[in-house]
Amino acid sequence: MMTTVEMVLLLKGIELFADLGGEDLAAIALMTRIEEAAAGDTIIREGELGDTLYFVVEGTVQVIKAGQVVAELRERDVFGELALLDPEPRSASVVATEETTLLCLGRDDFVNMMAARPEVPLGVIKTLVRRARAALDNRA
Ligand code: CMP
């Protein structure tokens, strides 16, 4: 069981939340829950609907689209933001490659937070841009 202080430190290390103050981070800590995944567990299944955003606290996950590994995400990375921002089926599956600890946040809490704190949507845009760039580089 993590203390609020430990959760705040953890959230501070996540790019989306890096510019937020301690009070905001403590509020977010109360909205999130911790989930553990074992190696091989499917956290998100391509094509399903979902309204949870995930942050990797510890461990590694693979993003698998149409059976192909398209990315590997690790500590402090975020995933599940696409279906959260635009309620379409999940674009890929996400599978733990080892014992992985995740921080989970529901859509309503995330949307409310984005409305209250402009730093958060800016961080989300940055993440999306980075992934779009990586996808373009892979195509070149
Ligand atoms: P979502 O579509 O909600 O669920 C699957 C998630 O995998 C997706 O959100 C992204 O967070 C992540 N994802 C999909 N494609 C890629 C990619 N090419 N690189 C990194 N992450 C991805």
Side-chain angles (χ1 to χ4, degrees), residues 44 63 70-71 73 79-83 90-92 94 131:
I44 282 182
V63 180
V70 294
L73 305 176
F79 61 91
E81 75 290 351
L82 297 183
R90 297 292 196 182
S91 62
V94 181
R131 289 192 180 151

Side-chain angles (χ1 to χ4, degrees), residues 28-126:
I28 296 170
L30 294 176
M31 300 171 187
T32 53
R33 61 169 206 285
I34 296 270
E35 224 173 75
E36 303 286 345
D41 280 358
T42 300
I43 302 153
I44 282 182
R45 207 174 288 277
E46 184 175 354
E48 287 189 351
L49 295 174
D51 58 4
T52 303
L53 180 69
Y54 298 87
F55 302 96
V56 181
V57 175
E58 207 177 347
T60 325
V61 300
Q62 281 182 334
V63 180
I64 301 169
K65 199 166 167 60
Q68 300 280 341
V69 176
V70 294
E72 197 162 79
L73 305 176
R74 49 186 59 79
E75 238 175 270
R76 302 182 184 186
D77 281 333
V78 61
F79 61 91
E81 75 290 351
L82 297 183
L84 204 87
L85 295 168
D86 181 31
E88 289 283 321
R90 297 292 196 182
S91 62
S93 292
V94 181
V95 178
T97 50
E98 58 182 313
E99 276 282 323
T100 298
T101 305
L102 301 157
L103 211 66
C104 313
L105 186 60
R107 175 184 285 128
D108 291 349
D109 285 333
F110 189 61
V111 167
N112 289 338
M113 193 169 58
M114 287 201 295
R117 291 282 174 265
E119 299 89 332
V120 176
L122 283 174
V124 175
I125 292 166
K126 226 182 201 176

